[in-house]
Structures are given as structure tokens and as C-alpha cells.
Amino acid sequence: MLTVWLRSPEDIGAFEARPADRFPELAVVDRAVALWQLKIAGHLLDPRGRHIRGVPVTFWEEPEAERAEDALLERLGVPR
């Protein structure tokens, strides 16, 4: 299993082609795209996508979203 973080879904084909060129026996049998990244926000990037510095993230009050997040983290066994 391999996990990568790409800038867009359009980059998947180019990414998969590089290792396939080097390892012809490699076969991609499945792929998944995750659109919700829990701990990625709050970073200022340079034009090449490299981390420059962290930026505090301000959250707004949304009780329904907070309850949903709490329920998810509880099911995953993640302490708050």
C-alpha cells in the first residue's frame, strides 16, 4: 500500500506512470481519493507548494459539525 498527497486528481496518472516505467511488473489494482484531511490546514506554502510557516486556524461555532466530528473521533478511538 502506498499513500501520497497530490495537488489534484489530475496528477494521479502522471504519478502512477513514473513507478510503472521503472518497475514494469508493478500493477495498480485500486485507488482511493480522500477529500477531507483532518490535520493539513493552517500552513502557508510557497509557489512550489513547500511549507513556509504555520498559520493559526480560527474556527467558527457550528454545533452540528462539532457533534459529528466528536462522534467520528469517538468511533475511531481518538482522545479529545
Side-chain angles (χ1 to χ4, degrees):
M1 182 169 139
L2 176 67
T3 302
V4 296
W5 182 9
L6 302 172
R7 291 181 172 266
S8 74
E10 290 79 22
D11 296 337
I12 294 172
F15 174 80
E16 290 177 352
R18 286 192 304 267
D21 289 343
R22 185 164 179 195
F23 305 101
E25 67 278 7
L26 179 69
V28 176
V29 295
D30 194 13
R31 68 182 60 81
V33 177
L35 300 178
W36 179 48
Q37 299 294 328
L38 190 58
K39 290 186 169 184
I40 300 214
H43 297 276
L44 181 61
L45 305 178
D46 71 7
R48 300 181 94 188
R50 296 177 295 199
H51 174 83
I52 296 175
R53 65 181 173 87
V55 178
V57 177
T58 14
F59 295 99
W60 56 92
E61 290 291 322
E62 193 168 334
E64 186 176 331
E66 290 177 21
R67 285 191 297 274
E69 182 180 358
D70 288 343
L72 172 65
L73 294 174
E74 185 177 324
R75 281 194 312 261
L76 296 173
V78 177
R80 290 289 270 165

